Amino acid sequence: MKSLFTILFILFLSASGSTQSFSDFSKKDVYSDIEFLFSHLQEIHPNSSEVDSSKVEIIKSGLKSEYYSESDAFFIFNGFLKLLNDGHSNVKFSSERTKEIIQYGEFFPYQLQFFDSTAVVTGTIGLRYEEVQRREIFKINNIPIKSILEDLAIVSMVDGEHNTSSSEWLSDDFWFYFTLYNGFRSSYSITYLENGREFHEIAKALNRNEFLKTSFLEDFNSGPFDLSCMNGITVLSVSNFNQKSPLWWKIKLKSIFKELDKQDISELVLDLRDNGGGQENLQNILLESFGVSTSDKYELEVIKKIDFRTVSGIQNERKEKLKSMGLENFVFREDYGDDFKGRKGAHYKSAKQRYSGELFILIDGTTFSCASDAAAILKENYPRTQLIGTETRGSGKVNYAGYFVHVELPKTGFVIRVPRVKYILNNKLCSEYSGIIPDIHVAMDKSDVQKDVDSQLTFLFNYLKEKESALEEN
């Protein structure tokens, strides 16, 4: 059913067309690139059978306009990829086009946290945030938040049929998708409700300089770890599995757990919220710090029809070989550190177990890919683990990741990033048709978000306090 919704949304977008853009693409160019991509899917994606020719014909038949804007083309191709039911396949802009967008584009100004039909402003920059922080938004450009989310969810980066039931996962990506959806407009009409009265304000879009300084863009120099103590609870936050080297992770985790041992910490909160995943070899180091074996985590299905990979690009003789196969637009690149059989590289030496106390893992709709897998693996294999929060994003059982193919579409110049490996998690707790389900369901409360209070950490603080009191009574 979701595939049908995706197609219908693409048709709606196709029919609308657009005249505002940095560059327009003809219907013929978009049509040609859809054909090109579809003709090669079986060679590059493990789940290509999900996209049959009848669905492609429906999409092509909806291309009514003669020209399509940058934004329209992005959603058409991204919506096409969603037919794969794979949240890791996505559309990128070419490097030149990305420079152009950042140079001249203007971006939706706020980071939002979503609830049923409203959103709360949780981030932007400078004085702007002080003016609107924690305000509740009901409409943008007079369109209800719920309607906007329903539209964007169809083509955003989420696992098709395996979508989570909440809209938490869209919070971090919303500003980008909504900017594209609106063709890089310079301002937005925001509808608030205060003291029972509805009122509107015009929010100016972020320009290039502001965009590059936004607080909700990750600082990749700071590292993925944050160790803190909140209300007597020790919290280790891991924001991603991408930053820094395996050696850096081992040294850093060793020092973190050494400090925990020194402080005699026996209850640890591992915060995997807002963690979109990353490299499996870095995930291994975290798991092994809890004494969990990482040797048989996954069963793999690998696309091997084109058995080619390289770290830095394509050598000339290999370019010729690809050209002879009709694949001169393909670039294979080793994004992650796993080989095709899922083994650790020869340089890898297992990390030692560093912790043996109780473990409470915070998860929600922003926990994705190998971060979601890490929560499930720890739950099944580390006996003193409880999962707290809400369902993780995407499928809890299947990830399409590992090595990625980067395909530059010949007519429009968009780059399609597609994984070649299907990871099936060997875990009895996981389902292919839902994310990872927590042991204790605790959702973020809207009134708490408006007060800048973390509902899930507050619950955990009270939970541990009650547990401690019960032990003292016994």
Side-chain angles (χ1 to χ4, degrees), residues 107-366:
F107 297 83
F108 183 75
Y110 304 137
Q111 184 183 29
L112 305 175
Q113 180 144 351
F114 298 104
F115 296 91
D116 288 340
S117 56
T118 66
V120 174
V121 179
T122 58
T124 181
I125 57 167
L127 295 176
R128 284 200 195 187
Y129 183 50
E130 294 171 12
E131 294 167 359
V132 298
Q133 63 178 320
R134 308 298 161 182
R135 279 190 180 176
E136 188 174 5
I137 292 176
F138 286 80
K139 297 178 183 177
I140 304 174
N141 298 336
N142 213 33
I143 304 172
I145 289 289
K146 188 172 184 178
S147 297
I148 294 170
L149 291 179
E150 287 172 350
D151 279 352
L152 293 184
I154 293 170
V155 288
S156 297
M157 289 188 286
V158 127
D159 285 351
E161 302 292 346
H162 317 312
N163 194 357
T164 57
S165 56
S166 80
S167 56
E168 291 170 318
W169 55 268
L170 191 53
S171 296
D172 288 338
D173 295 329
F174 178 83
W175 60 274
F176 175 69
Y177 281 109
F178 196 59
T179 294
L180 287 172
Y181 189 79
N182 283 276
F184 302 94
R185 66 190 300 157
S186 58
S187 65
Y188 298 84
S189 172
I190 310 290
T191 303
Y192 303 101
L193 189 68
E194 284 189 6
N195 300 322
R197 295 183 62 186
E198 188 177 288
F199 68 97
H200 306 272
E201 283 186 359
I202 299 299
K204 187 177 180 296
L206 298 178
N207 61 32
R208 176 182 181 273
N209 291 331
E210 292 175 314
F211 168 75
L212 294 175
K213 293 188 291 186
T214 47
S215 60
F216 49 90
L217 291 177
E218 247 182 323
D219 178 6
F220 275 86
N221 294 317
S222 60
F225 301 125
D226 181 51
L227 186 65
S228 59
C229 184
M230 303 178 186
N231 295 326
I233 301 175
T234 302
V235 181
L236 173 60
S237 299
V238 183
S239 62
N240 64 76
F241 290 97
N242 276 324
Q243 291 173 260
K244 308 296 184 180
S245 68
L247 179 61
W248 186 93
W249 272 63
K250 287 181 185 179
I251 293 170
K252 189 69 174 178
L253 282 174
K254 181 180 179 180
S255 67
I256 287 173
F257 284 111
K258 185 176 181 180
E259 180 64 25
L260 295 181
D261 186 55
K262 181 180 176 182
Q263 298 293 330
D264 197 25
I265 300 298
S266 59
E267 295 173 332
L268 176 66
V269 177
L270 177 63
D271 190 351
L272 294 180
R273 297 172 299 176
D274 295 312
N275 186 325
Q279 301 182 36
E280 187 194 349
N281 58 352
L282 301 183
Q283 179 213 58
N284 286 340
I285 296 168
L286 179 70
L287 295 176
E288 289 165 353
S289 297
F290 294 93
V292 173
S293 171
T294 61
S295 58
D296 297 306
K297 294 185 299 182
Y298 299 105
E299 295 175 15
L300 304 183
E301 295 178 11
V302 184
I303 291 292
K304 287 188 176 179
K305 187 167 182 179
I306 307 168
D307 188 10
F308 170 82
R309 64 185 187 273
T310 177
V311 175
S312 59
I314 301 177
Q315 297 173 8
N316 288 333
E317 63 271 20
R318 288 176 172 170
K319 283 184 181 180
E320 291 303 314
K321 182 180 179 182
L322 290 174
K323 188 174 181 180
S324 69
M325 299 167 65
L327 300 175
E328 62 269 28
N329 292 88
F330 281 61
V331 175
F332 299 95
R333 196 178 74 195
E334 184 179 348
D335 278 8
Y336 293 167
D338 320 317
D339 67 18
F340 277 116
K341 295 181 180 178
R343 297 178 302 216
K344 303 179 189 106
H347 65 281
Y348 187 92
K349 186 176 179 181
S350 295
K352 294 180 181 179
Q353 181 172 357
R354 306 287 181 187
Y355 180 78
S356 57
E358 286 191 87
L359 181 64
F360 303 90
I361 304 178
L362 290 175
I363 57 175
D364 67 7
T366 62

Side-chain angles (χ1 to χ4, degrees), residues 353-404:
Q353 181 172 357
R354 306 287 181 187
Y355 180 78
S356 57
E358 286 191 87
L359 181 64
F360 303 90
I361 304 178
L362 290 175
I363 57 175
D364 67 7
T366 62
T367 309
F368 183 54
S369 192
C370 73
S372 178
D373 289 353
I377 293 165
L378 285 167
K379 172 61 183 175
E380 185 174 55
N381 296 282
Y382 186 76
R384 307 184 71 185
T385 301
Q386 282 189 285
L387 306 181
I388 295 169
T390 56
E391 179 188 357
T392 63
R393 167 182 168 187
S395 170
K397 188 74 174 176
V398 175
N399 270 309
Y400 298 96
Y403 291 92
F404 284 78

